[in-house]
Amino acid sequence: MSEFDLQDFLFDLRGYLILEKAIDQTLLAELNGAFDTFPDLQFGEWWGNTQRLDNNGHAGLELQNVVEAGKPFETLIDHPSWVDRLQRYCGEDGSWVEGLYIDECFASVRRSGGYFPLHSGGQDGVIRNQYGFANGKFHCGQVNILLALTDIGPGDGGTRIVPGSHKSNIAHPVFSQPFAERVKAEDEVVEGSIEVNMKAGDALMFVDALSHGATKRTNAGDRRVVIYRYGPIWGNTRYGYDYSPELLARVTPAQRKILQPITRRAPGTARGLDRHAAE
Ligand SMILES: O=C(O)CCC(=O)C(=O)O
């Protein structure tokens, strides 16, 4: 019998999965409640150990290092709806460098007019976000959880993906135009892409090498999502945020291992490598 399930097959084939009802209604309400308390920040402004740092001026507000914005965001670190699958997809499962790491985590609020041009794809060959499968195991560089906190239907500014593009050898022709130009456009709907519609509480899991972006939001109101990007323990944080000692002390040992998989080593550190601690 194969050790792989249908979801594994689909993830390999398409580069993404939809996890329906990934979180329960209580956590969904808590996360939305937390979004309601976000202050009106300017670009670059800090709020505690989070910072507003929008990726581009068109996609909407992005609050980086959002795991520092309260307990509901901590619950997402190793949520049972995704943690085991992530471990198999991008956690170097069963190897000597086994384990997960969070590369980037942020909240995103998209209002009317916001969109995100398509980017990424297997043709880039970038190791950091690559799709990989070798020796009967997944070896992805980065797999993302994009958790919907509001229903995302037509006109809501949903994520746009090109299924299968994590294995592309050839760049989509849309990439012949520079990103900086495309970001100024009103919208971008490219051949071969689909818009992902989800219910609040569903999550899109996708390898970052999949070409992705977002459709323009035309409806009133907010599209709210949380994005956590995971990779192997040897990765490094995208923007260099440090976690506060309070957060590291508060989370569970399993969560702390994901936030800080490699224990800091100062002079006087007593013993050898953590991975051999049991030996
Ligand atoms: O906001 C989205 O739906 C897509 C976000 C995205 O493309 C990204 O963060 O790289």
Short mmCIF file of all heavy atoms in Angstrom, two decimals, residues 55 59 62 106 108 110 116-117 119 146 157-160 206 208 212-214 223 225 227 229 238, ligand 1:
data_model
loop_
_atom_site.label_atom_id
_atom_site.label_comp_id
_atom_site.label_asym_id
_atom_site.label_seq_id
_atom_site.Cartn_x
_atom_site.Cartn_y
_atom_site.Cartn_z
N ASN A 55 3.77 44.46 1.15
CA ASN A 55 4.70 43.96 0.13
C ASN A 55 4.80 44.91 -1.04
O ASN A 55 5.86 45.14 -1.61
CB ASN A 55 4.26 42.57 -0.31
CG ASN A 55 5.15 41.99 -1.37
OD1 ASN A 55 5.10 42.40 -2.52
ND2 ASN A 55 6.00 41.06 -0.99
N ALA A 59 -1.54 45.70 -2.86
CA ALA A 59 -2.19 44.47 -2.37
C ALA A 59 -3.03 44.70 -1.12
O ALA A 59 -3.93 43.93 -0.83
CB ALA A 59 -1.14 43.41 -2.10
N GLU A 62 -0.46 44.90 5.21
CA GLU A 62 0.13 43.65 5.69
C GLU A 62 0.81 43.91 7.03
O GLU A 62 1.65 44.81 7.13
CB GLU A 62 1.12 43.08 4.66
CG GLU A 62 0.39 42.62 3.41
CD GLU A 62 1.27 42.02 2.32
OE1 GLU A 62 2.48 41.83 2.54
OE2 GLU A 62 0.72 41.75 1.23
N PHE A 106 2.20 36.87 8.40
CA PHE A 106 1.58 38.19 8.38
C PHE A 106 0.07 38.11 8.17
O PHE A 106 -0.45 37.12 7.67
CB PHE A 106 2.22 39.10 7.32
CG PHE A 106 2.12 38.62 5.90
CD1 PHE A 106 1.14 39.14 5.05
CD2 PHE A 106 2.98 37.68 5.39
CE1 PHE A 106 1.05 38.73 3.73
CE2 PHE A 106 2.91 37.26 4.07
CZ PHE A 106 1.94 37.78 3.24
N SER A 108 -3.15 40.02 6.35
CA SER A 108 -3.35 40.84 5.15
C SER A 108 -4.82 41.28 5.09
O SER A 108 -5.72 40.46 5.27
CB SER A 108 -2.96 40.02 3.92
OG SER A 108 -3.60 40.50 2.76
N ARG A 110 -7.27 43.28 2.49
CA ARG A 110 -7.38 43.85 1.13
C ARG A 110 -8.71 44.56 0.99
O ARG A 110 -9.77 43.99 1.26
CB ARG A 110 -7.25 42.73 0.09
CG ARG A 110 -7.45 43.20 -1.34
CD ARG A 110 -6.81 42.24 -2.33
NE ARG A 110 -5.43 42.03 -1.99
CZ ARG A 110 -4.84 40.82 -1.95
NH1 ARG A 110 -5.51 39.76 -2.27
NH2 ARG A 110 -3.57 40.72 -1.62
N PHE A 116 -2.65 41.74 -6.54
CA PHE A 116 -1.24 41.34 -6.41
C PHE A 116 -0.85 40.64 -7.72
O PHE A 116 -1.41 39.59 -8.04
CB PHE A 116 -1.13 40.36 -5.23
CG PHE A 116 0.21 40.31 -4.55
CD1 PHE A 116 0.31 40.32 -3.16
CD2 PHE A 116 1.38 40.22 -5.29
CE1 PHE A 116 1.54 40.26 -2.53
CE2 PHE A 116 2.61 40.16 -4.66
CZ PHE A 116 2.68 40.18 -3.27
N PRO A 117 0.07 41.19 -8.49
CA PRO A 117 0.45 40.54 -9.75
C PRO A 117 1.01 39.14 -9.53
O PRO A 117 1.61 38.86 -8.48
CB PRO A 117 1.54 41.45 -10.32
CG PRO A 117 1.44 42.72 -9.56
CD PRO A 117 0.86 42.41 -8.23
N HIS A 119 3.40 36.08 -9.54
CA HIS A 119 4.85 35.96 -9.39
C HIS A 119 5.19 34.52 -9.03
O HIS A 119 4.32 33.75 -8.69
CB HIS A 119 5.37 36.92 -8.29
CG HIS A 119 4.64 36.83 -6.99
ND1 HIS A 119 3.39 37.37 -6.80
CD2 HIS A 119 4.95 36.23 -5.83
CE1 HIS A 119 2.98 37.12 -5.58
NE2 HIS A 119 3.90 36.42 -4.96
N LEU A 146 -2.39 29.94 3.62
CA LEU A 146 -3.12 31.20 3.46
C LEU A 146 -4.53 30.93 3.99
O LEU A 146 -5.31 30.21 3.37
CB LEU A 146 -3.13 31.61 1.99
CG LEU A 146 -3.71 32.98 1.64
CD1 LEU A 146 -3.01 33.56 0.40
CD2 LEU A 146 -5.21 32.95 1.38
N GLY A 157 -11.18 39.67 -4.22
CA GLY A 157 -9.72 39.79 -4.22
C GLY A 157 -9.04 38.48 -3.84
O GLY A 157 -8.05 38.48 -3.10
N GLY A 158 -9.56 37.38 -4.36
CA GLY A 158 -9.02 36.06 -4.02
C GLY A 158 -7.65 35.80 -4.61
O GLY A 158 -7.24 36.44 -5.58
N THR A 159 -6.97 34.83 -4.02
CA THR A 159 -5.65 34.43 -4.51
C THR A 159 -5.80 33.81 -5.90
O THR A 159 -6.74 33.06 -6.16
CB THR A 159 -5.03 33.39 -3.55
OG1 THR A 159 -5.09 33.93 -2.22
CG2 THR A 159 -3.60 33.08 -3.91
N ARG A 160 -4.88 34.14 -6.79
CA ARG A 160 -4.88 33.60 -8.15
C ARG A 160 -3.65 32.71 -8.27
O ARG A 160 -2.55 33.11 -7.89
CB ARG A 160 -4.83 34.76 -9.14
CG ARG A 160 -4.89 34.36 -10.59
CD ARG A 160 -5.24 35.53 -11.48
NE ARG A 160 -6.66 35.83 -11.42
CZ ARG A 160 -7.62 35.14 -12.03
NH1 ARG A 160 -7.31 34.09 -12.77
NH2 ARG A 160 -8.88 35.47 -11.90
N PHE A 206 -0.04 25.90 -0.28
CA PHE A 206 0.61 25.83 -1.60
C PHE A 206 2.11 26.00 -1.49
O PHE A 206 2.61 26.73 -0.64
CB PHE A 206 0.01 26.85 -2.58
CG PHE A 206 0.24 28.31 -2.24
CD1 PHE A 206 1.19 29.07 -2.91
CD2 PHE A 206 -0.51 28.94 -1.24
CE1 PHE A 206 1.38 30.43 -2.62
CE2 PHE A 206 -0.32 30.28 -0.93
CZ PHE A 206 0.62 31.02 -1.62
N ASP A 208 5.43 27.57 -2.48
CA ASP A 208 5.63 28.95 -2.92
C ASP A 208 6.14 29.05 -4.36
O ASP A 208 6.03 30.10 -4.99
CB ASP A 208 6.60 29.68 -1.97
CG ASP A 208 6.50 31.17 -2.10
OD1 ASP A 208 5.54 31.76 -1.58
OD2 ASP A 208 7.38 31.77 -2.78
N HIS A 212 1.68 32.57 -8.23
CA HIS A 212 0.53 33.03 -7.45
C HIS A 212 0.50 34.55 -7.37
O HIS A 212 1.51 35.20 -7.58
CB HIS A 212 0.53 32.41 -6.05
CG HIS A 212 1.75 32.74 -5.23
ND1 HIS A 212 2.96 32.09 -5.40
CD2 HIS A 212 1.94 33.65 -4.25
CE1 HIS A 212 3.84 32.58 -4.54
NE2 HIS A 212 3.26 33.55 -3.83
N GLY A 213 -0.65 35.06 -7.06
CA GLY A 213 -0.87 36.49 -6.91
C GLY A 213 -2.30 36.65 -6.43
O GLY A 213 -2.83 35.73 -5.81
N ALA A 214 -2.94 37.75 -6.71
CA ALA A 214 -4.34 37.89 -6.29
C ALA A 214 -5.11 38.78 -7.25
O ALA A 214 -4.58 39.76 -7.80
CB ALA A 214 -4.43 38.45 -4.88
N ARG A 223 -11.09 41.91 2.63
CA ARG A 223 -10.71 40.49 2.57
C ARG A 223 -9.64 40.33 3.63
O ARG A 223 -8.62 41.02 3.64
CB ARG A 223 -10.12 40.12 1.21
CG ARG A 223 -9.82 38.61 1.13
CD ARG A 223 -8.77 38.25 0.10
NE ARG A 223 -7.41 38.53 0.53
CZ ARG A 223 -6.32 37.91 0.07
NH1 ARG A 223 -6.42 36.98 -0.85
NH2 ARG A 223 -5.11 38.24 0.50
N VAL A 225 -6.98 37.71 5.46
CA VAL A 225 -6.30 36.42 5.49
C VAL A 225 -5.09 36.52 6.40
O VAL A 225 -4.58 37.61 6.68
CB VAL A 225 -5.85 35.92 4.08
CG1 VAL A 225 -7.00 35.87 3.09
CG2 VAL A 225 -4.71 36.75 3.52
N ILE A 227 -1.24 34.73 6.49
CA ILE A 227 -0.33 33.89 5.70
C ILE A 227 0.88 33.51 6.57
O ILE A 227 1.56 34.39 7.11
CB ILE A 227 0.14 34.63 4.43
CG1 ILE A 227 -1.06 35.00 3.55
CG2 ILE A 227 1.14 33.76 3.64
CD1 ILE A 227 -0.74 35.74 2.27
N ARG A 229 4.33 31.29 6.18
CA ARG A 229 5.19 30.56 5.23
C ARG A 229 6.15 29.68 6.03
O ARG A 229 6.86 30.18 6.90
CB ARG A 229 6.02 31.53 4.40
CG ARG A 229 5.22 32.53 3.59
CD ARG A 229 6.15 33.23 2.60
NE ARG A 229 5.63 34.50 2.15
CZ ARG A 229 4.75 34.64 1.17
NH1 ARG A 229 4.26 33.58 0.56
NH2 ARG A 229 4.34 35.84 0.79
N ARG A 238 12.60 35.97 6.50
CA ARG A 238 12.66 36.82 5.31
C ARG A 238 13.05 38.25 5.62
O ARG A 238 13.87 38.86 4.93
CB ARG A 238 11.29 36.79 4.62
CG ARG A 238 11.23 37.62 3.37
CD ARG A 238 9.89 37.47 2.69
NE ARG A 238 9.86 38.19 1.43
CZ ARG A 238 8.79 38.27 0.65
NH1 ARG A 238 7.68 37.65 1.01
NH2 ARG A 238 8.84 38.94 -0.47
O1 LIG B 1 -2.92 37.94 -1.11
C1 LIG B 1 -2.93 36.93 -1.78
O2 LIG B 1 -3.97 36.29 -2.00
C2 LIG B 1 -1.67 36.41 -2.40
C3 LIG B 1 -0.46 36.89 -1.64
C4 LIG B 1 0.80 36.68 -2.36
O3 LIG B 1 0.83 36.53 -3.55
C5 LIG B 1 2.05 36.67 -1.64
O4 LIG B 1 2.06 37.03 -0.45
O5 LIG B 1 3.09 36.28 -2.20
#
